[in-house]
């Protein structure tokens, strides 16, 4: 029984996200925000009993459209059980992460009245996620129609230490009245992913003594086995039943005032994709046996210990701003949870495995928005994320071939194979910057850790193959330079531009680093270098070509440019009167303009030139920064969640603190605001990395490890902040940055 040690009662508002009262309007938002997980598996914060008014297995055809502006299905609730790497093919949307059977189900019924948060009479409702240990709590009093009043207290966690285990507990107490309480608990495969059925078959088993199980065969060819065992402080669960959607334990207990008991349910989840030896069933049962042998307390202690270690390496303490403090911790919690740190066959998907919206796909979000957090709190995890790109290099080569090029072209939307999954041509065909973003992130990792072995073992292959792609993707202009035509930059509201300056800068960087590293490898080991050339089929002409394209690729700015135009054709797009068009600024700008008009106008979805300034700060003077900020900010809609943090960091760099704080508020609201309900479709995990960057790069003013070999700070703290403390890994050493209004300290820790 989980009674001691666990933090059950008190809600610490610097550490707990609390839902103080139930509202159906925010239910889906909290489901996303309360997602639990441990890298290996993830489950949205849905109620154990579901909501009667919404079925989870509705079938419909989700169409490939702009996800940012799409109106989601299921406004009230959507279960979500995800295992990174378990994917299937959707007929229109291509490869998507499969929403797996829901193994948390626990239903209560008193004299024909089913427990349902929306329909029953509920008092003193409270639910909260404790970020310290990832435990989700719920408590309320249910006044049943039969007159039996029950107090229920729920607790559940996905173990951070024993990655295959989920633990649930419910304590039930009768306050007044009497009546029969019927209970069901088990596994429910009445679940569809984006309206599509990816389950080929489900095989159930019921063991009279100890467990129930459901083995799902997916259309991606995987086997996913869930085994649940349920027990109560009294013998209750005598029956086990199976129907077309569920396998369940069933029990009854007559209750009268003063009676109480506790239910525990533990589930082990294993798949044929796990890097583990042994038969599925045997492994699943072995994990359950651990619980039996060691008991719940021990299991919780190990879980808590694992979370405590993660927090030791990553917790940012902010004195003077409780709201941002909680949001910062929520972001760190989701980043840690989303990261499958020992498995480089997967990365972190755009919704942080907390919703179906982006199909479980990997974007540039990982490299540009999230990587800095991992680089400075868990460099092994950062390495693993880049290794994922090496592991999917074959897919990237296929993409290049599919477009008629040699080399490797990383997918704008990648799944586990690296092949392009983006179903919309605008992004899939034209948002090519990701191929160079990946190389940028790899160099950032190497510069921050000194891990040159990564380049030797993997990175150089990625660099040479992507360079091969770039030298073919460019076009020669008679004026005497190379250019990149038909490109969508980070700003997704201009689909086919000429020389997007961000992209060209990234490609130039990528090519110059490729040449530089080839040179380093040649100088350090002539024979090794010859082997490398042989292995990659690389000859001197090719390297000369890399050099030539790097030198002659158009970069349309220099130190004298006041405004750096996003693309050569940027000025020719139409000007818009934002105040007339954008009637309600709580909604995306894109809702108020047709795509056709948007695509020919100067309205940015997100930071583009400013993103480049953030990534290459040394290229620009402070005047250029402020001129470009003033030019672009008023025409940027921030319809993408990747935008606000970039603006906030640059505003802080310029010391425009009011502006920076406005963006801080925006960044925090993206997933935390009850009005926006932004977490409903999943966590904006890039923005979580964005908040980390805003605090570390923006307010504490840490200079990027990309460009600095030593820790350097130039702080600008927001008005109310007294102090911020940040743990940072830098070249293998642990430091603590302590920044106050008028001083800062960089403390080396042992
Ligand atoms: C943004 C992209 C981002 C993607 C996934 C889009 O709305 O415009 O920059 O990579 O979402 O988060």
């Amino acid at each position: 029984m989980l009674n001691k040690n666990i933090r059950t009662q008190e809600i610490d508002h610097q550490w707990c996200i609390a839902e103080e009262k139930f509202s159906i309007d925010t239910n889906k938002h909290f489901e996303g925000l309360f997602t639990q997980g441990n890298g290996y598996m993830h489950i949205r914060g849905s109620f154990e009993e579901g909501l009667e008014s919404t079925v989870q297995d509705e079938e419909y055809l989700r169409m490939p459209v702009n996800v940012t502006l799409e109106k989601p299905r299921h406004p009230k609730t959507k279960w979500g059980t995800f295992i990174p790497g378990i994917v299937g093919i959707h007929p229109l949307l291509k490869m998507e992460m499969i929403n797996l059977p829901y193994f948390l189900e626990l239903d209560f019924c008193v004299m024909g009245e089913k427990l349902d948060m929306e329909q029953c009479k509920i008092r003193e409702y409270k639910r909260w996620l404790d970020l310290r240990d990832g435990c989700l709590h719920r408590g309320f009093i249910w006044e049943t129609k039969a007159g039996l009043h029950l107090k229920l207290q729920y607790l559940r966690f996905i173990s951070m230490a024993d990655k295959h285990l989920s633990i649930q507990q419910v304590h039930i107490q009768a306050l007044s009245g009497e009546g029969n309480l019927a209970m069901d608990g088990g596994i429910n495969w009445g679940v569809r992913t984006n309206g599509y059925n990816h389950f080929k078959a489900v095989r159930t088993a019921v063991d009279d003594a100890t467990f129930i199980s459901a083995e799902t065969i997916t259309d991606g060819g995987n086997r996913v086995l869930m085994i649940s065992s349920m027990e109560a402080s009294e013998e209750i669960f005598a029956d086990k039943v199976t129907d077309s959607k569920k396998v369940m334990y069933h029990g009854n207990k007559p209750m009268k005032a003063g009676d109480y008991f506790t239910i525990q349910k533990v589930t082990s989840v294993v798949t044929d994709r796990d890097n583990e030896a042994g038969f599925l069933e045997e492994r699943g049962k072995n994990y359950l046996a651990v619980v039996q042998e060691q008991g719940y307390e021990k299991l919780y202690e190990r879980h808590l210990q694992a979370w405590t270690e993660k927090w030791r390496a990553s917790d940012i303490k902010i004195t003077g701003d409780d709201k941002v403090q909680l949001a910062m911790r929520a972001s760190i919690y989701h980043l840690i949870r989303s990261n499958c740190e020992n498995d480089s066959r997967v990365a972190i998907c755009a919704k942080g495995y907390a919703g179906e919206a982006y199909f479980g796909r990997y974007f540039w979000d990982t490299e540009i928005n999230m990587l800095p957090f991992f680089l400075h709190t868990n460099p092994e995890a950062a390495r693993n994320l880049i290794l994922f790109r090496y592991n999917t290099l074959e897919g990237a080569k296929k993409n290049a071939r599919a477009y008629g090029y040699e080399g490797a072209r990383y997918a704008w939307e990648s799944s586990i194979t690296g092949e392009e999954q983006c179903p919309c041509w605008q992004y899939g065909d034209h948002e090519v910057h990701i191929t160079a973003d990946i190389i940028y992130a790899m160099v950032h990792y190497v510069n921050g850790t000194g891990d040159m072995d990564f380049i030797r073992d993997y990175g150089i292959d990625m660099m040479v193959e992507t360079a091969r792609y770039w030298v073919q993707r460019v076009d020669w202009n008679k004026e005497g330079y190379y250019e990149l035509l038909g490109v969508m930059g980070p700003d997704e509201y201009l689909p086919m531009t000429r020389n997007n300056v961000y992209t060209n800068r990234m490609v130039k960087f990528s090519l110059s680093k490729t040449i530089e590293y080839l040179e380093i490898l040649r100088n350090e080991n002539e024979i090794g270098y010859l082997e490398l050339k042989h292995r990659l089929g690389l000859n001197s002409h090719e390297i000369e070509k890399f050099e030539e394209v790097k030198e002659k690729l158009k970069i349309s700015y220099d130190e004298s440019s006041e405004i750096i135009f996003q693309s050569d054709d940027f000025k020719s797009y139409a000007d818009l009167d934002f105040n007339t068009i954008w009637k309600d600024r709580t909604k995306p700008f894109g809702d108020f303009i047709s795509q056709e008009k948007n695509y020919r106008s100067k309205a940015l979805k997100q930071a583009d030139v400013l993103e480049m300034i953030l990534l290459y700060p040394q290229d620009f003077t402070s005047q250029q920064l402020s001129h470009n900020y003033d030019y672009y900010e008023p025409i940027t809609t921030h319809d993408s969640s990747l935008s606000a943090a970039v603006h906030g960091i640059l505003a802080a760099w310029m010391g425009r603190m009011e502006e920076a704080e406005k963006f801080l508020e925006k960044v925090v609201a993206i997933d935390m605001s009850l009005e926006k309900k932004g977490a409903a479709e999943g966590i904006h995990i890039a923005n979580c990395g964005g908040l980390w960057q805003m605090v570390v790069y923006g307010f504490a003013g840490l200079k990027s490890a990309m460009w600095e070999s030593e820790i350097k700070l130039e702080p600008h703290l927001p008005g109310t902040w007294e102090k911020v403390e940040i743990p940072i890994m830098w070249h293998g050493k642990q430091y603590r940055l302590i920044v106050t209004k008028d001083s800062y300290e960089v403390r080396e820790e042992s």
Side-chain angles (χ1 to χ4, degrees), residues 408-619:
R409 175 199 199 274
Y410 280 101
W412 173 242
E413 294 185 20
S414 174
S415 182
I416 54 172
T417 64
E419 284 163 78
E420 185 61 77
Q421 303 300 336
C422 184
C424 299
W425 65 273
Q426 306 93 302
Y427 319 102
D429 287 358
H430 301 125
E431 209 158 349
V432 289
H433 62 82
I434 184 156
T435 295
D437 300 335
I438 288 169
I439 303 302
Y440 180 98
M442 180 173 71
V443 176
H444 193 183
Y445 162 75
V446 172
N447 287 359
T449 57
D451 181 7
M452 259 305 282
D453 277 345
F454 191 91
I455 298 292
R456 289 184 198 100
D457 297 342
Y458 313 105
I460 199 67
D461 293 35
M462 293 159 67
M463 290 177 128
V464 168
E465 296 296 356
T466 56
R468 282 179 167 149
Y469 162 69
W470 288 123
V471 299
Q472 297 196 346
R473 178 61 176 78
V474 293
D475 288 294
W476 178 247
N477 186 306
K478 286 196 294 288
E479 303 291 320
Y481 54 83
Y482 285 105
E483 50 187 352
L484 280 163
L485 305 177
V487 166
M488 178 187 268
D491 165 25
E492 292 189 340
Y493 283 168
L494 286 180
M496 287 177 73
T497 66
R498 193 176 188 111
N499 291 312
N500 168 258
V501 70
Y502 170 97
T503 307
N504 287 26
R505 182 68 186 88
M506 274 289 184
V507 173
K508 192 180 176 77
F509 173 84
S510 178
L511 288 172
S512 75
K513 279 289 161 187
T514 306
I515 295 159
E516 184 186 319
Y517 281 135
L518 281 170
E519 192 60 22
I520 293 175
L521 298 186
R522 186 162 75 97
N523 290 339
E524 70 178 21
N525 178 354
E526 189 81 30
I527 294 172
Y529 181 71
L530 288 176
E531 279 168 9
L532 166 85
K533 278 179 79 177
H534 180 70
R535 180 165 55 78
L536 294 175
L538 182 68
N539 61 45
S540 314
H541 296 305
E542 256 191 309
I543 302 175
E544 279 161 24
K545 185 76 185 175
F546 298 167
E547 179 73 44
E548 185 198 330
V549 174
K550 178 208 98 182
E551 278 305 310
K552 296 195 176 144
L553 182 62
K554 184 169 186 197
I555 298 292
S556 14
Y557 66 84
D558 60 28
E559 57 282 3
S560 69
S561 323
E562 191 171 336
I563 302 302
I564 295 149
F565 289 101
Q566 188 174 303
S567 53
D568 288 356
D569 47 0
F570 189 77
K571 271 193 284 185
S572 63
Y573 290 102
D575 291 311
L576 290 177
D577 177 358
F578 283 86
N579 288 333
T580 315
I581 299 171
W582 203 354
K583 297 235 160 38
D584 176 0
R585 292 209 179 213
T586 62
K587 302 209 169 84
F589 172 77
D591 280 354
F592 297 87
I593 188 168
S594 67
Q595 177 172 286
E596 172 270 321
K597 184 163 183 185
N598 203 357
Y599 278 5
R600 59 185 158 83
S601 307
K602 285 195 202 91
L604 278 66
K605 184 178 180 189
Q606 60 205 100
D608 193 305
V609 167
L610 297 185
E611 179 81 60
M612 174 180 73
I613 297 182
L614 174 66
L615 297 177
Y616 298 92
Q618 74 291 353
D619 278 12

Side-chain angles (χ1 to χ4, degrees), residues 85-87 98 216-224 271-273 416:
I86 301 292
V87 297
I98 299 179
T216 309
I217 317 296
T218 71
D219 60 358
N222 287 111
R223 292 166 60 208
V224 179
T271 79
D272 62 351
R273 223 182 158 264
I416 54 172

Side-chain angles (χ1 to χ4, degrees), residues 242-400:
T242 309
D243 67 20
S244 60
K245 289 185 191 174
K246 303 177 186 180
V247 53
M248 304 291 264
Y249 278 89
H250 178 74
N252 280 289
K253 186 170 159 55
M255 298 285 283
K256 61 176 184 329
D259 289 350
Y260 61 88
F261 69 104
T262 304
I263 295 173
Q264 262 149 353
K265 178 177 170 192
V266 48
T267 306
S268 75
V269 181
V270 289
T271 79
D272 62 351
R273 223 182 158 264
D274 307 340
N275 271 329
E276 290 172 25
F279 293 110
L280 225 53
E281 204 183 317
E282 191 182 305
R283 285 199 286 122
K285 285 187 187 162
N286 285 346
Y287 287 118
L288 280 192
V290 172
V291 190
Q292 250 101 55
E293 280 156 25
Q294 304 191 356
Y296 289 92
E297 287 289 338
K298 259 241 141 51
L299 199 80
Y300 172 73
E301 270 165 36
R302 266 213 306 278
H303 161 76
L304 175 65
Q305 178 66 25
W307 264 112
T308 307
E309 276 163 28
K310 299 266 176 237
W311 281 115
R312 195 171 299 133
S314 59
D315 183 32
I316 293 187
K317 290 203 179 76
I318 300 168
T319 315
D321 194 336
D322 286 355
K323 191 173 166 197
V324 177
Q325 173 68 86
L326 181 63
M328 183 72 260
R329 286 182 170 144
S331 293
I332 295 174
Y333 162 86
H334 283 297
L335 283 161
I336 292 174
R337 170 189 67 70
S338 301
N339 176 44
C340 196
E341 62 189 352
N342 300 317
D343 189 351
S344 58
R345 299 169 303 162
V346 293
I348 301 177
C349 69
K351 288 289 180 188
Y353 299 111
E356 296 174 349
Y358 263 120
F359 323 105
R361 308 243 173 89
Y362 313 121
F363 292 73
W364 70 315
D365 307 30
T366 321
E367 281 73 21
I368 300 301
N369 296 274
M370 296 177 237
L371 190 99
F373 165 76
F374 291 105
L375 171 61
H376 292 297
T377 59
N378 184 353
E380 263 303 302
R383 179 180 187 278
N384 210 52
L385 288 170
I386 317 260
L387 196 55
F388 165 77
R389 296 299 191 173
Y390 173 78
N391 290 339
T392 51
L393 189 57
E394 280 312 309
K397 287 191 197 168
K398 281 193 192 156
N399 297 334

Side-chain angles (χ1 to χ4, degrees), residues 654-693:
M654 292 185 290
R656 298 191 195 175
M657 296 315 290
E658 218 173 286
E659 184 86 356
E661 287 179 43
K662 185 185 93 189
F663 279 110
L664 177 61
E665 209 168 296
K666 236 178 156 49
V667 166
V668 166
I670 284 175
D671 279 328
M672 299 291 280
S673 143
L674 286 187
E675 289 73 47
K676 289 182 91 71
K677 298 175 253 184
E681 307 305 319
I683 295 296
H684 294 87
I685 198 79
N687 180 62
C688 294
L691 178 56
W692 186 92
Q693 293 194 36

